[in-house]
Amino acid sequence: MLNIGFIGLGNMGLPMALNLVKAGYTVRVFDLVADSITQAVDAGAVAAESALDAAAEADVVISMLPAGHHVRALYVNGDAPLFDRMKPTAIAIDSSTIDAKTARDVSEAAASRGLAFVDAPVSGGTAGAAAGTLSFLCGASAEHFNAVEPILSVMGKNIFHAGGPGAGQIAKACNNMLLAVLMSGTCEALNMGIKAGLDPAVLSDIMRQSSGGNWALNVYNPVPGVMESAPASKGYAGGFMTDLMVKDLGLAMDLSQQLNAPVPMGSQARALFSMHKAKGNGTLDFSSVLSLYQDAD
Ligand code: NAD
């Protein structure tokens, strides 16, 4: 069985690492927060003293970190870069959501040392991480993608090969920009109908089964009480934080600028979610953007 080093045991990383433990892999884990390591060890992982300690003897290294500069420092230019010490046959998988340029740079740094690196950001949120049903959007050569697919299948249901290095991050930015547009549009339409006196559940059902149907209406209704399982019905707790959506929209805007690809709807969505964050809602689920449209009580 392969040895896995897992770095970054936050809301996503911890449940992902635990699915690997459950599948029988030896998983050496590290996080800057000691309590997260303890939680993983209690579930059967092995504690590492540093990221290097987690990665040095690993066949597969997986990272799940906040942003691009964390990933670059971890592998390439930090105090103890993993690429200087990983086994020559090891493969690194970064599942953080970061900019495509950093992913490509880190991939090139790996290749120059004869190592393999795959960008594999995820979709599916904390619930998908716990259930092992994430989607992985991979950027890598076909050879490296084939090498990591079995491991990713332990943590996810849909494993996509988006293209070469960086392509996974580009697919992620495109998807989340579209999600932001769909969610804000859904909030806009529902708020108008509710103000006109319609029952939100009835209107949601009509639009869900008509030409306005979309993912937000299907599984993530933003109006409290309409869908029991949605974050809206749980005080907008859990789910996908507004802060993270704003971060992802920033990545999408950077990409649109680099490519000169117009994204007027994405820009508008970014303005809405940034305003929602500025009003103090950064830690609430992103579907709480509905409140921007509503009259104050
Ligand atoms: P998080 O903030 O909960 O976890 C990040 C973890 O990384 C923290 O535990 C932190 O201590 C650790 N960390 C930071 N720097 C480190 C270092 N140098 N060495 C070791 N550990 C370090 O974030 P999260 O929600 O788990 O998200 C992780 C990534 O996944 C982000 O890029 C995010 O955008 C992406 N993502 C999150 C979700 C979600 O719903 N939360 C969904 C899809 C993608």
Side-chain angles (χ1 to χ4, degrees):
M1 203 78 155
L2 296 174
N3 285 319
I4 299 176
F6 204 112
I7 296 143
L9 303 169
N11 293 326
M12 295 293 289
L14 181 62
M16 289 166 69
L18 295 191
N19 280 330
L20 294 167
V21 171
K22 271 186 225 148
Y25 291 99
T26 301
V27 187
R28 282 180 82 80
V29 295
F30 180 71
D31 192 287
L32 299 177
V33 178
D35 185 52
S36 304
I37 299 181
T38 306
Q39 284 184 58
V41 169
D42 288 348
V46 180
E49 287 175 7
S50 63
L52 199 53
D53 181 34
E57 296 305 319
D59 302 299
V60 178
V61 176
I62 303 174
S63 48
M64 193 54 169
L65 301 177
H69 64 95
H70 300 104
V71 175
R72 196 185 286 271
L74 177 72
Y75 289 107
V76 185
N77 65 2
D79 291 340
L82 300 191
F83 285 162
D84 289 353
R85 293 286 298 280
M86 278 167 49
K87 292 203 305 196
T89 51
I91 191 156
I93 303 170
D94 179 51
S95 284
S96 325
T97 301
I98 65 170
D99 60 289
K101 179 175 182 325
T102 297
R104 278 194 294 265
D105 289 351
V106 175
S107 173
E108 276 170 28
S112 70
R113 293 161 173 82
L115 296 164
F117 176 85
V118 176
D119 52 291
V122 300
S123 179
T126 50
T133 56
L134 291 170
S135 292
F136 283 88
L137 322 179
C138 301
S141 66
E143 181 196 346
H144 293 159
F145 173 74
N146 291 336
V148 299
E149 199 181 8
I151 293 281
L152 298 182
S153 299
V154 175
M155 300 177 284
K157 198 171 58 170
N158 298 307
I159 320 298
F160 296 106
H161 187 199
Q169 298 295 352
I170 292 172
K172 172 77 182 171
C174 293
N175 180 69
N176 278 26
M177 184 179 76
L178 177 58
L179 171 63
V181 169
L182 289 173
M183 181 55 81
S184 38
T186 298
C187 289
E188 209 162 294
L190 282 169
N191 183 59
M192 188 165 76
I194 293 165
K195 280 198 93 169
L198 270 64
D199 180 326
V202 172
L203 177 57
S204 294
D205 199 35
I206 290 169
M207 295 196 295
R208 193 173 63 79
Q209 299 194 61
S210 305
S211 45
N214 69 73
W215 182 86
L217 288 169
N218 280 336
V219 300
Y220 218 90
N221 197 293
V223 181
V226 171
M227 199 168 269
E228 209 181 310
S229 58
S233 299
K234 300 171 187 162
Y236 298 105
F240 184 54
M241 284 194 304
T242 299
D243 278 344
L244 287 177
M245 180 51 97
V246 171
K247 173 193 134 177
D248 290 0
L249 286 166
L251 294 173
M253 296 307 106
D254 290 347
L255 199 57
S256 81
Q257 204 149 14
Q258 286 157 24
L259 298 167
N260 204 15
V263 289
M265 305 290 284
S267 303
Q268 193 64 254
R270 190 205 185 186
L272 290 172
F273 282 97
S274 301
M275 207 175 346
H276 188 51
K277 173 185 159 105
K279 284 169 168 274
N281 301 308
T283 58
L284 295 183
D285 178 73
F286 80 116
S287 64
S288 63
V289 75
L290 175 69
S291 67
L292 263 192
Y293 297 87
Q294 294 171 316
D295 295 332
D297 290 324

